[in-house]
Amino acid sequence: MTRPGLRRRLVLAFLLVTLLPLFLLSAAVAVFLSRGLERATRDRLEAGLAAARARFAALADRARARVAAAVADDMPALGPGDDDPILHEIARRRDLAALELLDGAGIVIASHHWPAGFGLPDRDGLFPDGAPYRIESVASGYGADERLAVVAEARGRWRGRGVVLRGGSFVDEELLGGLAALMGLEVGLYDEIRGRWTLPAGSRLGTWTRPALGAARGEVRLGDARVRWAATALCRGLLLVVAAPEAALEQTLNEVRRLALTAAALALLGTLGGALFVSGRLARPIRELAEAARRVAEGDLTVSVPVRTDDELGALARAFNDMTAELRVSRSRQAQAERVAAWRELARRLAHELKKPLFPVQLSIETLRRSLDREPPPPPGEFEALFREASDTILQELRSLARVIESFGDLARLPRPHLAPTDLSRVAEQVLGLYQPGAPQVRVETEYAQGLTVSGDAELLARALGNLLANALEAMPDGGTLRVRTLTVPEGVAVEVEDTGPGLPADQMAQLFAPYHTTKPGGTGLGLAIAQGIAAEHGGRIEAASPPGGGARFRLVLPRPKPS
Amino acid sequence: MKPPAGGRATLLHVRLRVLSRLLLAAFLGAEAPAALGPRYGGELRVGVPDLPSSLVPGPAPGLGPRLAAGLVHETLVGLTSDGALAPALAASWTAVAEGREWALSIGESARFHDGRPVTAEDAVRSLRTFLRGPGAAAAALARALDGGAAFRARQAEDLPGLAALDSRRLALRLDAPAASALATLASPAAAITGAGGVGAGPFVPDLLVPGQRLVATAFAAHARGRPYLDRVRVTGSFGPEELATEAHAGRVDLAAGEPGLEALAASLLLILDPRRPPFDRPETRAAVAAAIDRAALVARLVPGGTASTDLLPPSLLRGPEPPRPPLEAPPSRLVLPDGSVVLAVSRDLPPPVSQRVLAHLTALGLRVRVTAMDAAAALAAPAELRLLAFAPEVPEPGLALEELSALAPSPRAALERLEEARRETDAPRRRALLAEAHDALRREGSIVALGHAPVRFGGRGRVHGARIDAAGRLVLEDAWVEP
């Protein structure tokens, strides 16, 4: 994995150092604030429970007082008439929304809130232990509603018989809604016996279908919101529940979080800007040094880096510049030495190549001179034969000398390539067509890829390829297989020439492309050098390989043309 | 019957009528506000629980739909308070072939609201539509007419039993003499309409807001003469308390359910579905029938009503009431399966009646959910229980019993007696057969009568001449309002 750059690492380090404390601080503030708000909510729920409980106790007390007053004062005072209107009148006077008169057997004589129940047994829903809470049927539309009431009852006499007057008020939406508005909480009553809620309109507690209210407090998710609740029993089976949606708490916490995030974002931006500026100033000389070093590595010794400071980086820049200056001098000396060496080598080669035919020429001439000066003179015809032989040798050597000179001329005259889009496969096919007829003993296998276009000089490439083919065919005088193929390689495209000849000696591989290096009798040793020169002129190269089992493989690799 | 308004004849007629009413009032010592007698003009505002969504003729159960039908439409014949046929669009009728063929003559003055005369072709077309529509009267007429059953079942388009003889006369040919065949034509569903559904009733509809409001103006060319009122404005979709409030505040002149006009025209019926538990057990049905204290219910909650176990209103029960077998004493509490039953209640009923029935059912151990709906919906509601103020489509005993027998699966004995009664032309024998059918229906226990309830319309007392007919319909044809 590539390590990030110096500047990036510097920026990350800056960010880490700056943001970590900020995040820790924000988290600590959020935690402390959350705990404080939770404590405040719990206190508010407890206070709400106490207030609501007191309100229901007050309702029971009021019902008790009003029913007692109705029995003591109203029932004796109201005269004859139908039961229903009389009961309605008592209910109006005493403000008792729930009021019913029952005989000693529990049969409803008259009912203010459920007039249809007269003459039938009272079927209110009860809570244990004589609690002052009941589920009453209440006339509603064409049917009845069941509503929770806080009631009290008192015994009295009515039309000469003992009766029970029961009355009170309903725990209606108005009552619960008023309590909820007063306390800023949701208030509800849960009837555990019948599994139903008494709630103000719109209370989300109604969506709590199976409340687990065993504990005194807790929290529950109702719809989209979390709700904290507290509960207490008004009597067995009837629970008073107050609840506070966590929305307010969550809103405060969210605001704190939002503030922390905003601060963090601003700090992040500030730190990022500062880190970029500082790291830029720190990393710039190092980057310049790295770039200069890269150029030096590529051979450009003219490069130098500016010296901006007197600190360690400035000293480093100065040392680099001194180093490149030293390298320039050193390279100049080396180039001169190499040129001298090259000239010496060329002179040596030239002397060797020129001296090689001169010796037979000299020897032939000396032989002729000795024959001419011999006493007695050779018999007639002998000198002519000797002369013919010697002159043949001299001519042959002179031709050899001329070939050497011509080869040197070729090497010197290698023209600059005229680059044009060239189909490498087509060039290979054409060149092979020239050479193949001269080697009928060789079996040829070809494999040409399509679309291998290079930017090259077709004539020069053909010459280079011809040299490779000639070498390969010459390596198989007794027959063999020549494989020619064009292909795509990672560096570009290539044409490959492979023979099944004796192969290349390992000790010759290093000198393979040196001029005048040859292993063939009569070879000039310039063929591969010329081919390599052509490849270099095209920005390519020639690779040679000789597997252990024999045979040689030459690959002319050329770059793909750059898109215009 | 009033002559058409307009022209010298009309003016003379009005003067004579006012004079005669003045004399009558002076003779009878009528109340002071009405002593001036009827007068043309004015607007009457009526409040009802519900109104129809269209004015297409139909059985029109419910106070509002029945009122609307009577205002806008006219039938060939009507029925008097004692059940006799009365002329309406048909001025006269004659029977031949021992009562198997009837020829009805449409009156010369019968016209639609667009002024076109009512023709026999209009009557035939309207009755063909009627015969294929809902309602017990249509079914009864189809059974009686030659080819009527096949036509009603859409098995044939030909209807040989109904034909126009000429532009003013049409003929009804029956398979056999049928006592109540012509009475079916008094059904509001058998109203005669012209092209595009135009009616021939005493008022021309100006505006119908479906289910909420109907405004209609007097039809000057009505067959029985122009109504006194210029305009009737009927408002529906009131709850019972709202109706009382509207009446007391004077925002309506007549409100359904308020004291004033009343006629004992409806039966309070609790219909139990014997195909569904728990009412599939006869003992459960019997227990429900016996558990309801009818006398207390009617005495305290149905002013003007009478406790009864008879299924039909008293106006349809001719002759002395036969002795009824006593109902068995109910168990104090039934053993019932879990789950609740639905009680569909017609909004025509006073809510306390529904609440009282609910209290009784609850006391028996039933868990009941109450759903209020308009009368037509309550009649057809697929509920285990239905509570209705039943006013028959046609106030004729045989047709009313047939209508009843269609409300719940009926015992074979009842259906057989009804079939015999259809063909019986001897009035005493027919009455006896209907009484047997009635008792068979009652004994089945699926239809439980709780009493008879008056159809009531009342207000602040400035309305005169309105009446409630035997079908429980408010008739405003002769109504007038004090200035």
Side-chain angles (χ1 to χ4, degrees), chain A residues 83-84 109-111 114-121 123 139-144, chain B residues 240 296 300 333 345-347 349 351-352 354-356 358-360 362-363 370 372:
Chain A
D83 294 339
D84 281 343
I109 298 169
S111 173
W114 180 228
F118 67 89
L120 297 171
R123 295 178 51 80
S140 172
Y142 289 80
Chain B
R300 288 178 71 155
R333 202 159 167 82
V345 180
S346 165
R347 287 205 186 92
L349 283 171
S354 169
Q355 291 166 1
R356 179 63 178 174
L358 171 65
H360 278 299
T362 308
V370 178

Side-chain angles (χ1 to χ4, degrees), chain A residues 14-78:
Chain A
F14 275 121
L15 291 178
L16 197 65
V17 168
T18 311
L19 291 183
L20 193 61
L22 187 66
F23 280 129
L24 289 175
L25 184 65
S26 299
V29 168
V31 166
F32 286 125
L33 192 64
S34 169
R35 286 184 184 166
L37 288 171
E38 279 179 20
R39 201 176 306 117
T41 304
R42 196 166 59 239
D43 293 346
R44 200 154 63 94
L45 288 174
E46 295 297 339
L49 270 186
R53 196 183 173 89
R55 176 87 169 111
F56 285 110
L59 283 176
D61 290 343
R62 193 181 73 175
R64 208 171 298 119
R66 289 180 180 181
V67 169
V71 169
D73 303 335
D74 298 340
M75 284 170 59
L78 291 167

Side-chain angles (χ1 to χ4, degrees), chain A residues 463-536:
Chain A
R463 188 165 167 189
L465 193 55
N467 287 347
L468 297 180
L469 286 172
N471 284 348
L473 293 173
E474 284 170 11
M476 299 180 289
D478 300 325
T481 301
L482 172 71
R483 293 189 190 90
V484 179
R485 63 174 185 141
T486 55
L487 66 157
T488 303
V489 293
E491 303 92 323
V493 299
V495 55
E496 200 173 84
V497 176
E498 187 177 359
D499 64 58
T500 55
L504 301 169
D507 57 339
Q508 301 291 323
M509 292 292 282
Q511 300 294 319
L512 212 54
F513 297 101
Y516 306 106
H517 175 84
T518 181
T519 57
K520 293 181 293 185
T524 62
L526 287 172
L528 284 178
I530 290 170
Q532 182 72 296
I534 292 171

